[in-house]
Amino acid sequence: MASVRQVNIAIIGAGGVGKCFLSQLEQLAKRRPEPKLALVYISTSKKAIYNKDYASIGLDSAIASLASASEAPLAPSALADYLNGSSSKAIIVDNTSSQDVADAYPLFLSRGISVVTPNKKAFSGSYKLWQDIFQASAKSGARVFHESSVGAGLPVISTLKDLVETGDEVTKIEGVFSGTMSFLFNSFAPTSGSGGKWSAEVKKAKELGYTEPDPRDDLNGLDVARKLTILARLAGLEVESPTSFPVQSLIPKELESVASGDEFLEKLPAFDAQMEETKAGAEKEGKVVRFVGSIDVASKQVKVGLEKFDRSHPIAALKGSDNIISFYTKRYGSNPLIIQGAGAGGEVTAMGVTSDLLKVLSQLS
Amino acid sequence: MASVRQVNIAIIGAGGVGKCFLSQLEQLAKRRPEPKLALVYISTSKKAIYNKDYASIGLDSAIASLASASEAPLAPSALADYLNGSSSKAIIVDNTSSQDVADAYPLFLSRGISVVTPNKKAFSGSYKLWQDIFQASAKSGARVFHESSVGAGLPVISTLKDLVETGDEVTKIEGVFSGTMSFLFNSFAPTSGSGGKWSAEVKKAKELGYTEPDPRDDLNGLDVARKLTILARLAGLEVESPTSFPVQSLIPKELESVASGDEFLEKLPAFDAQMEETKAGAEKEGKVVRFVGSIDVASKQVKVGLEKFDRSHPIAALKGSDNIISFYTKRYGSNPLIIQGAGAGGEVTAMGVTSDLLKVLSQLS
């Protein structure tokens, strides 16, 4: 286990997660002087900073420097050339949610550059891209980790990998995978009390910043479907894409094509009766309704949508915007292994990225 | 990241966990041909098998071979000499709960031999031993992992390390850390219904194999105190030993010195009134009583004992013999990161050991 003196880091993306990651990286570099973590590239979609001699960009001033930068970002192959020009090992941290960046992972990995990222696109896109990524990694030895692509910093991916790699048989995975959906249903159909009107809860969630700018981007279920795709593939299922299994959209058909999120919110109250009926149906059985994803490994069934749960069920008892993920396996028997907590937010998402970075560092040599 | 062709494995201990681990190792070796995992030593407290030429002992026949073996186990320094005599990297898997083996970890690590183990003794003994172990590891680069020392295969240790190493501030850790205590209190003081008599529940737990041969070894709280010691140290507290903070024993004073576990069980019903009173006191507040451990990091307070919880609290709602561990941190805010599931049993304990072994393998070079 020889020691590595310097590792070059290239960060793509400097939004909410990117800024939190940068701050965690700064703290990390202070606590762990060896190996030296040199930030040699950082870019937004429009600008980039890097130095021909691989001098480290100040971690505390990178965001300010980006604002006044004039260089355009490097194309993937040019970025790989640049990083390969140094004798130090390199790690790319992709803090975007860009499909274009994700498509370049096989290139980066095949050139010996490790990748850590919260970006779901690479692992929930086409199955071909998934295979290309892991084949490139296996061939070159470069690592790829994406803990924050499901449940942010919660140890979801690492736990599923451990279960599979130690030979346990995962039979079922079930949970609430969206902080937005969690918040909406915990308020709309609480385990005690009657909850608000559906359209009012959606409006409130939007005002609190818990939804995407257009709430339909949460309500269509695609974000959850992407996370389920990733977990199902790790559990051994060859899921073709996040649209290749049943996903229930909570957008009324009539509002799918209205022009804006604001118009959607304005017209949503007219459809409250539908959701109210679903809630009442569950209540009649003493249950509450939740928006969940599930993977039945044996029957290869993946689905996303509304389900009813007993009020005492851990999924029903969830609080705030927490996620919960239950792994049912042969070894764990009838009581699943459960992981629960905040599954969204800049700091906890960046934490998953930072711990992935630490994992790569521990495996570099 | 050069590839390693053979890794030598030495297993100490072939009891319940040891047998499960051996079977997981056998499956692992079949699935992953590279590096070759060669079992070059296996021992019980009385016997050992090993070959001067480091030929691999059959993983499927090791237990049978041990039964007819005639060699005595090697002393720690002789075992280190033996493993150092090969050019292959070596990993010792300690599946015992022996203090003597634990005391030898600094020696093994200082000689470049990695250690993976569910044995709590090394990490919950004297603070000096803890320091010696991690200093030896830091100096030689040999790895030491002990996921199963708390919560068996549940990702407790790795999650706490990730929180700390990525710079989160852990403020409090709280949970049910003993499968035996979990089972006892879930039956004695269920969230609905009235539960059985205390002495009857202890007897039932013993009959179901959920307690140590002498149930007092569970009821004295020391097992939980050891786990708390480990977590508190990982969270940065210099806890001197598992007896250096308040630990509530559930053994009536009068029964501490009775000769046997059987005599203890026979005399326990005379003390049911005490526990019944505790239960009734909690019920008056609409709560249930549970045996928990907690670490308040800021005030450096570690304690183990009975606490009251609302019936809807995740700790109250636990099922069967499950463990639950809640991490309260700055990043996670008011809703903790929670991990829950079986925290005891041969297969899940061995799973933690196997995943630690995989971690060492990924870091060898």
Side-chain angles (χ1 to χ4, degrees):
Chain A
M1 306 186 198
S3 74
V4 176
R5 263 182 269 163
Q6 173 165 327
V7 174
N8 290 338
I9 313 268
I11 302 179
I12 306 177
V17 173
K19 281 181 185 130
C20 291
F21 171 74
L22 208 51
S23 139
Q24 291 183 19
L25 183 63
E26 192 186 341
Q27 298 305 317
L28 183 70
K30 279 183 195 157
R31 284 197 306 276
R32 291 171 46 130
E34 187 110 335
K36 178 173 160 56
L37 301 173
L39 178 65
V40 300
Y41 180 90
I42 182 166
S43 67
T44 63
S45 57
K46 297 199 177 116
K47 293 171 169 192
I49 325 177
Y50 53 101
N51 302 307
K52 293 263 147 32
D53 61 355
Y54 305 96
S56 185
I57 300 158
L59 291 167
D60 51 345
S61 56
I63 296 292
S65 307
L66 260 179
S68 58
S70 55
E71 299 253 21
L74 293 171
S77 64
L79 177 54
D81 286 343
Y82 166 64
L83 293 172
N84 282 162
S86 161
S87 63
S88 296
K89 297 267 183 188
I91 303 170
I92 286 179
V93 182
D94 171 18
N95 285 325
T96 73
S97 57
S98 152
Q99 183 70 54
D100 286 347
V101 179
D103 288 341
Y105 294 176
L107 167 73
F108 295 142
L109 291 162
S110 68
R111 298 188 57 180
I113 302 161
S114 294
V115 174
V116 300
T117 184
N119 185 350
K120 286 184 279 289
K121 297 280 166 65
F123 311 98
S124 61
S126 77
Y127 193 68
K128 167 90 170 48
L129 178 57
W130 169 276
Q131 286 178 307
D132 288 349
I133 287 170
F134 291 101
Q135 277 164 11
S137 163
K139 206 168 164 191
S140 74
R143 307 307 209 240
V144 53
F145 292 117
H146 54 102
E147 183 61 76
S148 284
S149 63
V150 179
L154 297 176
V156 176
I157 304 254
S158 54
T159 298
L160 177 53
K161 274 191 185 170
D162 279 350
L163 290 167
V164 171
E165 287 175 3
T166 64
D168 200 356
E169 196 183 302
V170 179
T171 51
K172 187 180 161 188
I173 304 171
E174 180 183 56
V176 172
F177 295 90
S178 153
T180 312
M181 290 294 199
S182 181
F183 178 83
L184 283 174
F185 283 91
N186 297 343
S187 318
F188 171 64
T191 50
S192 62
S194 61
K197 285 227 156 90
W198 175 248
S199 60
E201 296 299 346
V202 175
K203 199 165 167 238
K204 192 171 79 186
K206 157 100 205 248
E207 284 163 5
L208 289 169
Y210 285 166
T211 70
E212 296 292 324
D214 185 336
R216 287 176 296 182
D217 291 336
D218 294 297
L219 297 176
N220 63 14
L222 183 61
D223 172 69
V224 177
R226 284 195 177 278
K227 292 168 183 166
L228 270 279
T229 301
I230 297 173
L231 297 183
R233 286 173 177 174
L234 287 172
L237 301 185
E238 293 190 12
V239 174
E240 185 46 44
S241 84
T243 55
S244 64
F245 51 85
V247 177
Q248 184 178 3
S249 167
L250 298 185
I251 308 171
K253 267 216 153 42
E254 297 84 342
L255 301 185
E256 269 172 4
S257 52
V258 299
S260 70
D262 286 341
E263 191 185 339
F264 168 74
L265 279 175
E266 207 173 283
K267 294 188 168 162
L268 189 58
F271 299 86
D272 275 344
Q274 250 171 268
M275 286 298 283
E276 207 56 45
E277 198 179 308
T278 308
K279 178 158 88 171
E283 270 171 6
K284 256 185 213 157
E285 303 175 36
K287 298 184 176 183
V288 292
V289 67
R290 293 290 182 264
F291 193 83
V292 299
S294 67
I295 299 163
D296 187 308
V297 180
S299 68
K300 302 188 181 180
Q301 286 202 306
V302 184
K303 61 181 178 184
V304 171
L306 294 172
E307 305 259 354
K308 291 174 273 188
F309 292 90
D310 284 333
R311 286 163 198 281
S312 66
H313 193 285
I315 286 182
L318 213 57
K319 288 202 169 64
S321 59
D322 277 4
N323 286 12
I324 183 168
I325 297 97
S326 302
F327 295 103
Y328 292 84
T329 80
K330 197 176 164 198
R331 282 186 200 140
Y332 278 90
S334 55
N335 289 356
L337 189 171
I338 299 177
I339 293 166
Q340 182 179 331
E347 283 293 347
V348 294
T349 303
M351 171 198 155
V353 181
T354 306
S355 73
D356 279 349
L357 178 74
L358 285 167
K359 217 178 266 187
V360 177
L361 291 175
S362 75
Q363 298 181 10
L364 284 179
S365 59
Chain B
M1 308 189 199
S3 75
V4 176
R5 262 181 270 162
Q6 173 164 330
V7 175
N8 289 339
I9 314 269
I11 302 178
I12 307 178
V17 174
K19 282 183 185 126
C20 291
F21 171 74
L22 207 52
S23 138
Q24 291 183 19
L25 183 63
E26 192 187 340
Q27 296 306 315
L28 184 69
K30 278 182 196 158
R31 284 196 306 275
R32 292 172 45 129
E34 188 112 335
K36 180 176 160 54
L37 302 173
L39 177 65
V40 299
Y41 179 91
I42 182 166
S43 68
T44 63
S45 57
K46 297 199 178 116
K47 294 172 170 192
I49 324 177
Y50 53 101
N51 303 306
K52 291 264 150 21
D53 60 355
Y54 305 96
S56 185
I57 300 160
L59 291 166
D60 50 346
S61 56
I63 296 293
S65 308
L66 260 179
S68 58
S70 55
E71 299 254 20
L74 293 173
S77 64
L79 177 55
D81 286 343
Y82 166 65
L83 294 171
N84 282 161
S86 162
S87 63
S88 296
K89 296 268 183 187
I91 303 171
I92 286 179
V93 182
D94 171 18
N95 284 326
T96 74
S97 57
S98 151
Q99 184 69 54
D100 286 346
V101 179
D103 288 339
Y105 293 177
L107 167 74
F108 295 143
L109 291 163
S110 68
R111 298 188 58 180
I113 301 161
S114 294
V115 175
V116 301
T117 184
N119 185 349
K120 287 185 277 290
K121 297 279 165 63
F123 312 97
S124 62
S126 76
Y127 193 68
K128 167 93 170 50
L129 178 57
W130 169 276
Q131 287 177 307
D132 288 350
I133 286 170
F134 291 102
Q135 278 165 11
S137 162
K139 207 167 164 192
S140 73
R143 307 306 209 242
V144 52
F145 292 117
H146 55 102
E147 183 62 74
S148 285
S149 63
V150 180
L154 297 175
V156 176
I157 305 252
S158 54
T159 298
L160 177 54
K161 274 191 185 170
D162 279 350
L163 290 166
V164 171
E165 288 175 3
T166 64
D168 200 355
E169 196 183 302
V170 179
T171 51
K172 188 178 160 189
I173 304 170
E174 181 183 55
V176 172
F177 294 90
S178 152
T180 313
M181 290 293 199
S182 182
F183 178 82
L184 283 174
F185 283 90
N186 297 343
S187 318
F188 171 64
T191 50
S192 62
S194 61
K197 285 225 155 95
W198 176 247
S199 59
E201 296 299 347
V202 176
K203 198 162 167 244
K204 191 170 81 185
K206 158 102 205 245
E207 284 163 4
L208 289 169
Y210 285 167
T211 71
E212 297 290 325
D214 185 336
R216 287 177 295 181
D217 290 336
D218 295 298
L219 297 175
N220 63 13
L222 183 61
D223 172 70
V224 177
R226 286 195 176 278
K227 292 168 183 166
L228 269 279
T229 301
I230 297 173
L231 296 183
R233 287 173 177 175
L234 287 172
L237 301 185
E238 292 190 12
V239 174
E240 186 44 46
S241 82
T243 56
S244 64
F245 52 85
V247 177
Q248 184 178 1
S249 168
L250 298 185
I251 308 171
K253 266 214 156 42
E254 297 85 342
L255 300 185
E256 269 172 4
S257 52
V258 299
S260 70
D262 286 341
E263 190 185 340
F264 168 75
L265 278 175
E266 207 174 282
K267 293 187 168 162
L268 190 58
F271 300 85
D272 275 344
Q274 250 170 269
M275 287 297 285
E276 206 56 46
E277 199 179 307
T278 308
K279 177 157 90 172
E283 271 172 5
K284 256 185 213 157
E285 302 176 38
K287 297 184 175 185
V288 292
V289 67
R290 292 290 182 266
F291 193 84
V292 299
S294 67
I295 300 163
D296 188 308
V297 180
S299 69
K300 301 187 181 179
Q301 286 202 306
V302 184
K303 61 181 179 186
V304 171
L306 294 172
E307 305 260 354
K308 291 174 272 189
F309 293 90
D310 285 333
R311 285 162 198 280
S312 66
H313 194 287
I315 286 183
L318 212 56
K319 289 202 169 66
S321 58
D322 276 4
N323 285 13
I324 183 168
I325 296 98
S326 302
F327 296 103
Y328 292 83
T329 81
K330 197 174 164 199
R331 282 186 200 139
Y332 278 90
S334 55
N335 289 356
L337 189 172
I338 299 177
I339 293 165
Q340 183 179 330
E347 282 292 347
V348 294
T349 304
M351 171 197 154
V353 181
T354 305
S355 72
D356 280 349
L357 178 74
L358 285 167
K359 219 179 264 187
V360 177
L361 291 176
S362 75
Q363 298 181 12
L364 283 179
S365 60

